[in-house]
């Protein structure tokens, strides 16, 4: 009876250990996926910001050459509707702002919302005539988490179901020899015949 209790306790411990190992593996893999998504999202946003700045800097050059801030401002308005871009300005070599546009009112004053500035030289015939400055914002880790919550939950549930099935299968494989030994021990105990063979 004592051996049977020890085997039951061993089984519980093994199941608990398997469950903890599966939960740890799921947690680590989920964190890895979220980290990869954050890194990819940031790289794509950076590429998008640089590309937008390059296009605007080449389009605004003629307006700066002809000293037309109104046309330059119209070119800068092309950032409207681009995610993650809050403001843009063309700055002359002396530091004077030639033209600017805020996608959101007071965007340039809000340093928290637009934490990075992408700068691009505005050139004509290889000579820099101004600098384009763009205030950008990268999506936060919490935004990415919130956007991918449904997919992450589905993947976790499927992975957990597979882990439970594997755990039961492993449990049967691991305990089959022990169960065979227990049956043989009961037969020996009941009959006193020590010639009982394991099947």
């Amino acid at each position: 009876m004592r051996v049977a209790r020890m085997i039951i306790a061993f089984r519980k411990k093994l199941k608990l250990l398997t469950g903890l190992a599966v939960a740890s593996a799921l947690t680590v893999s989920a964190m890895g996926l979220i980290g990869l998504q954050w890194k990819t999202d940031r790289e794509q946003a950076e590429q998008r910001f640089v590309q937008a700045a390059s296009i605007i800097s080449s389009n605004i050059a003629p307006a700066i050459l002809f000293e037309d801030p109104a046309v330059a401002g119209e070119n800068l308005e092309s950032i409207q509707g681009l995610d993650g871009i809050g403001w843009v300005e063309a700055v002359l070599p002396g530091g004077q702002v030639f033209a600017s546009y805020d996608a959101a009112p007071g965007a340039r004053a809000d340093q928290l919302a637009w934490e990075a500035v992408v700068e691009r030289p505005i050139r004509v015939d290889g000579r820099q005539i101004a600098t384009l400055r763009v205030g950008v914002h990268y999506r936060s880790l919490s935004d990415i988490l919130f956007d991918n919550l449904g997919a992450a939950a589905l993947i976790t549930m499927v992975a957990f179901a597979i882990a439970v099935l594997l755990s039961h299968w492993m449990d049967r494989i691991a305990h089959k020899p022990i169960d065979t030994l227990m049956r043989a021990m009961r037969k020996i105990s009941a009959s006193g015949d020590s010639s009982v063979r394991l099947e």
Side-chain angles (χ1 to χ4, degrees):
M1 225 23 144
R2 189 167 178 240
V3 174
R5 275 193 221 124
M6 284 174 56
I7 289 173
I8 290 169
F10 173 73
R11 281 187 177 179
K12 284 182 180 177
K13 286 177 185 174
L14 186 63
K15 279 191 176 183
L16 179 65
L17 190 64
T18 304
L20 287 172
V22 168
S24 299
L26 283 172
T27 303
V28 168
S29 62
M31 285 173 23
L33 283 171
I34 290 165
L36 183 64
Q37 177 65 37
W38 178 80
K39 183 178 180 284
T40 304
D41 190 83
R42 196 167 179 95
E43 286 171 354
Q44 287 176 345
E46 204 167 293
Q47 227 173 14
R48 196 172 64 246
F49 298 150
V50 168
Q51 190 175 27
S54 296
I55 292 167
I56 293 168
S57 64
S58 63
N59 288 343
I60 200 173
I64 294 171
L65 268 179
F66 290 106
E67 298 179 2
D68 192 344
V71 172
E74 287 173 14
N75 278 318
L76 295 179
E77 284 181 34
S78 63
I79 67 155
Q80 195 171 22
L82 292 177
D83 283 342
I85 297 180
W87 56 269
V88 61
E89 62 187 11
V91 181
L92 298 175
Q96 177 191 357
V97 175
F98 182 76
S100 66
Y101 176 74
D102 285 8
R108 265 177 292 176
D110 189 355
Q111 294 297 319
L112 293 175
W114 313 103
E115 75 263 14
V117 176
V118 174
E119 291 192 359
R120 202 78 188 157
I122 301 170
R123 290 192 170 102
V124 174
D125 296 330
R127 181 176 60 94
Q128 185 171 341
I129 59 169
T131 303
L132 185 77
R133 299 180 75 240
V134 184
V136 298
H137 169 70
Y138 297 99
R139 285 197 321 153
S140 67
L141 191 58
S142 59
D143 289 341
I144 291 167
L145 261 173
F146 185 75
D147 288 348
N148 295 298
L149 204 56
L154 180 66
I155 290 168
T156 301
M157 285 190 291
V158 168
F160 185 74
I162 291 169
V164 167
L165 291 172
L166 282 173
S167 174
H168 283 301
W169 180 67
M170 290 296 287
D171 186 47
R172 276 196 277 150
I173 288 174
H175 291 108
K176 190 175 181 181
I178 295 171
D179 289 338
T180 305
L181 181 62
M182 286 295 296
R183 280 194 300 275
M185 287 174 65
R186 282 190 197 108
K187 280 183 186 177
I188 292 169
S189 176
S191 68
D193 181 12
S194 58
S195 63
V196 173
R197 292 184 173 268
L198 297 178
E199 297 171 7

